[in-house]
Amino acid sequence: MVKYPPGLYLICLMKPRAATNLKLAIVLLAAGIVYLVGNGTVGLWDRDEPRYAQTSRQMLQNGDWIVPHYLDKVRTAKPVLIYWLQAGAMRIFGDTDFAARLPSVVAMLILLMILSVVLSRTIGPARAFWTVLIFSSSLLTIALAKICLTDAVLLLWITIAQLCLYAIFRGKGSWPVVLTMWIAVGLGGLTKGPVILGVQAATALVLGLLNHLARRRDPDIRPWAWLAGVRPLVGILVVAAIVGPWLYEIKRRSPEFIQTTVQHDVFSRILKPLEGHSGPPGYHLLTVWGTYLPWSLLLPMTLIVAWKNLRLPTTRFALAAVIGPWLMMEAVQTKLPHYLLPIFPPLAFLTADALVRSIRQHGRGLTSRGARVGIASWCIVMLLIGLSPWLFLIEFPATPKLPLLATTGVMFMAVGIIYRNFRKGRIESAARTMAFGTFAVVVVAYGYFLPRADFLRLSPETGADLRRLAPSQVGQVMMTDYMEPSLAFYQGGTIREAGDLGFGLRFLNQLPDWMVITTDAWNSAGAEMRSHWRIVTHHRGLYYAGGRIAEVLVVNKLPPP
């Protein structure tokens, strides 16, 4: 007789829908823990995250809720909604990195709740559970739920709009559905401009083409007739009512804002790579194998099963919602891996559909010799990824070994269980371990390893030094050769970039009493220039914006003899 753990046995005794609701609640709880852990102890990443955080802090401090500012400049990179949300969180929880990241966490959890409810009612409990589990545990989803960019909030509006578009496609486009769709489009526009319309237009275009293909089997399909239910004139009014008031105020207060945003962040981003973010043709087709981990293992099966079931309207729409936005992002010349996030909810559904079919058919598609080779290769890649953090010991031998070992150990344990379950044909158990194993690795990494990795804390440590030692007035501290936006956030926002002022003798009288520089700039300044300064503190670590390892000095100008 097979013995089950008490919790699993209890679930088995429940009615199917109640059991699914409980499992979905467990996934939501687990995702919430994963998305929150370490958000206040792991420093802000790269360049963009601290720019958003600092802009939101300044909005809260100066009380200007219309024109976003980053340090001394108007920040035209994005519309205003993300700053409202982050500044609102900072008002409640303090102007910390945890508060800045909180809207991303909340948006992703709301999205998971919406997917749980809508999919359970429309496609059944099994596929709803697996869709939510797959999407919530995908690497890109976790990453963007834990950083304070626009993407998680934007994805919430995009997915709501796409679900409404699907309802219209299926002939259920009631007025509440249409109004909800256009409200989501308006909020998406207030978050990141017209990209949400591009995603919907690309989806609708590819869906029409797929309808033509499906029409060969079902002559009654009308490829484009459903578009009449979108009601674009109503949409214009709704979107204008949402976006219009802020556009009016920003035009009045900062006349150049809209023109700069449209030219630089829309057309320039489409026509040429910005800030060095370029990539070859097929860039997103390549990067999805990493960003969709661990579920990229199932991508070949996902696409094959989806194509075979093209006759099904739900599959057809999900496939269009993947292919359309993917082609749009490939056409955009500025490329970053997270631009593909809008396809992840429909892609997760297609993977869930393929997985449910495989489980019900006793592992079909995952037990062949070719599949076994693919699974073994995937496991080897995952083990190598688990070992990769140990490379940091080459440059940073003082990195604590126990947290590193714990992270690698959890990764190896999960991969071992996954491989064993696949080998024994336990497809469902293997898939569950893929999801919860990913959750476990992220919790250990963010909760135990990353907060103790001092080489990742270059800006937080330097910023703490400046808050303790240096004046807090604007312009009394400058940075040169270490142009890291996160330093501005952790210092308090009064530091400024030296700009054209170099750390040379001829600029001595123009420089403030406190400077943040790298050892490279210090050593190249010359002995006479260095004689006017004293080194107060120094830290060594990763310089994200510079893409290198750096030693950063806080130096203080000596009084004249």
Side-chain angles (χ1 to χ4, degrees):
M1 181 176 178
V2 179
K3 293 184 178 181
Y4 295 100
L8 182 59
Y9 184 71
L10 178 63
I11 292 176
C12 292
L13 291 177
M14 293 181 175
K15 294 181 179 179
R17 186 166 294 278
T20 300
N21 291 340
L22 177 59
K23 290 189 288 185
L24 284 169
I26 292 171
V27 173
L28 291 172
L29 177 61
I33 293 171
V34 173
Y35 297 166
L36 284 169
V37 68
N39 285 4
T41 54
V42 177
L44 300 173
W45 300 102
D46 198 43
R47 293 170 290 186
D48 286 336
E49 199 181 10
R51 287 170 179 164
Y52 281 102
Q54 177 59 27
T55 301
S56 300
R57 169 199 274 166
Q58 288 183 220
M59 179 172 283
L60 181 63
Q61 289 175 340
N62 62 29
D64 185 352
W65 294 80
I66 300 298
V67 185
H69 288 82
Y70 173 71
L71 301 182
D72 297 324
K73 297 180 179 179
V74 175
R75 179 162 167 80
T76 61
K78 296 295 181 292
V80 76
L81 183 58
I82 189 64
Y83 306 120
W84 287 347
L85 297 175
Q86 291 177 0
M90 287 178 176
R91 170 170 283 181
I92 299 171
F93 298 101
D95 57 349
T96 63
D97 36 17
F98 176 86
R101 288 164 166 165
L102 190 59
S104 295
V105 176
V106 173
M108 201 66 82
L109 290 176
I110 292 174
L111 174 54
L112 293 179
M113 294 177 192
I114 291 173
L115 288 174
S116 299
V117 173
V118 173
L119 297 183
S120 293
R121 294 179 177 178
T122 56
I123 65 172
R127 285 174 174 79
F129 167 74
W130 283 108
T131 299
V132 173
L133 184 61
I134 290 168
F135 170 68
S136 65
S137 59
S138 300
L139 185 61
L140 187 61
T141 302
I142 295 173
L144 292 174
K146 296 181 69 63
I147 57 179
C148 55
L149 304 183
T150 59
D151 298 87
V153 175
L154 177 66
L155 183 65
L156 173 62
W157 312 134
I158 286 178
T159 305
I160 291 173
Q162 291 286 70
L163 289 172
C164 292
L165 191 66
Y166 170 73
I168 294 170
F169 166 63
R170 295 306 308 275
K172 298 178 181 179
S174 62
W175 275 110
V177 168
V178 172
L179 290 175
T180 299
M181 183 184 75
W182 286 113
I183 289 171
V185 170
L187 293 172
L190 209 54
T191 304
K192 203 173 180 177
V195 64
I196 186 171
L197 283 175
V199 169
Q200 289 212 284
T203 299
L205 177 61
V206 173
L207 180 58
L209 298 176
L210 293 179
N211 285 340
H212 273 290
L213 291 176
R215 196 176 185 183
R216 297 174 182 176
R217 296 184 180 180
D218 186 356
D220 293 333
I221 293 177
R222 300 172 65 189
W224 306 101
W226 63 276
L227 281 173
V230 171
R231 296 182 172 89
L233 293 179
V234 173
I236 293 173
L237 295 176
V238 173
V239 172
I242 294 172
V243 181
W246 176 73
L247 287 178
Y248 172 80
E249 282 298 314
I250 197 71
K251 180 66 175 176
R252 186 177 66 85
R253 296 270 310 280
S254 181
E256 74 287 349
F257 188 102
I258 297 175
Q259 181 179 353
T260 302
T261 299
V262 171
Q263 289 181 350
H264 183 266
D265 290 285
V266 179
F267 292 112
S268 294
R269 193 171 297 274
I270 292 171
L271 299 175
K272 62 183 180 182
L274 295 183
E275 297 181 338
H277 298 312
S278 60
Y283 172 89
H284 293 291
L285 191 60
L286 294 173
T287 58
V288 73
W289 293 92
T291 57
Y292 198 50
L293 282 171
W295 304 102
S296 46
L297 169 64
L298 305 183
L299 271 177
M301 183 180 74
T302 296
L303 298 177
I304 291 171
V305 172
W307 191 255
K308 287 181 178 179
N309 291 281
L310 197 61
R311 69 186 185 283
L312 301 176
T314 304
T315 301
R316 206 155 60 242
F317 183 90
L319 199 56
V322 170
I323 295 175
W326 163 63
L327 290 175
M328 182 183 80
M329 294 305 173
E330 291 288 5
V332 173
Q333 294 303 300
T334 302
K335 299 185 186 298
L336 283 168
H338 63 265
Y339 284 3
L340 212 57
L341 184 64
I343 79 165
F344 272 50
L347 183 59
F349 163 73
L350 293 175
T351 302
D353 181 58
L355 184 60
V356 169
R357 292 175 187 274
S358 179
I359 292 170
R360 291 176 177 175
Q361 296 169 5
H362 307 289
R364 183 177 179 181
L366 290 172
T367 55
S368 65
R369 178 175 296 180
R372 290 180 183 274
V373 171
I375 292 167
S377 301
W378 177 89
C379 289
I380 292 172
V381 170
M382 297 303 290
L383 292 176
L384 292 174
I385 293 173
L387 287 171
S388 61
W390 290 87
L391 296 174
F392 288 123
L393 293 177
I394 298 172
E395 287 289 342
F396 306 102
T399 301
K401 311 301 187 297
L402 190 57
L404 200 55
L405 184 62
T407 305
T408 301
V410 172
M411 176 78 116
F412 274 49
M413 186 183 302
V415 172
I417 296 172
I418 291 166
Y419 181 73
R420 183 172 180 270
N421 282 330
F422 272 125
R423 287 281 296 177
K424 292 183 175 294
R426 301 170 183 166
I427 307 303
E428 185 171 3
S429 295
R432 290 179 190 273
T433 308
M434 287 169 67
F436 288 99
T438 301
F439 283 162
V441 171
V442 173
V443 167
V444 174
Y446 266 83
Y448 190 30
F449 169 57
L450 293 177
R452 291 165 175 79
D454 289 340
F455 62 88
L456 298 175
R457 298 186 56 79
L458 198 51
S459 284
E461 296 295 337
T462 304
D465 293 339
L466 291 171
R467 291 197 309 273
R468 185 179 72 255
L469 299 167
S472 60
Q473 286 76 23
V474 173
Q476 291 190 316
V477 185
M478 286 187 177
M479 52 182 165
T480 184
D481 198 45
Y482 183 67
M483 304 298 188
E484 186 65 80
S486 58
L487 179 57
F489 182 80
Y490 288 112
Q491 180 267 345
T494 61
I495 194 171
R496 294 295 182 264
E497 296 180 0
D500 294 333
L501 298 178
F503 193 72
L505 192 61
R506 64 193 180 101
F507 299 112
L508 180 62
N509 294 330
Q510 298 170 265
L511 295 175
D513 289 343
W514 291 85
M515 293 288 296
V516 177
I517 64 171
T518 64
T519 52
D520 293 337
W522 174 262
N523 292 332
S524 63
E528 187 175 357
M529 178 61 176
R530 293 197 299 269
S531 68
H532 292 277
W533 302 81
R534 66 184 179 97
I535 298 175
V536 181
T537 66
H538 65 91
H539 300 280
R540 184 171 179 269
L542 290 181
Y543 173 17
Y544 301 127
R548 68 182 195 270
I549 296 170
E551 185 170 3
V552 173
L553 311 175
V554 174
V555 298
N556 179 219
K557 188 184 292 184
L558 296 172

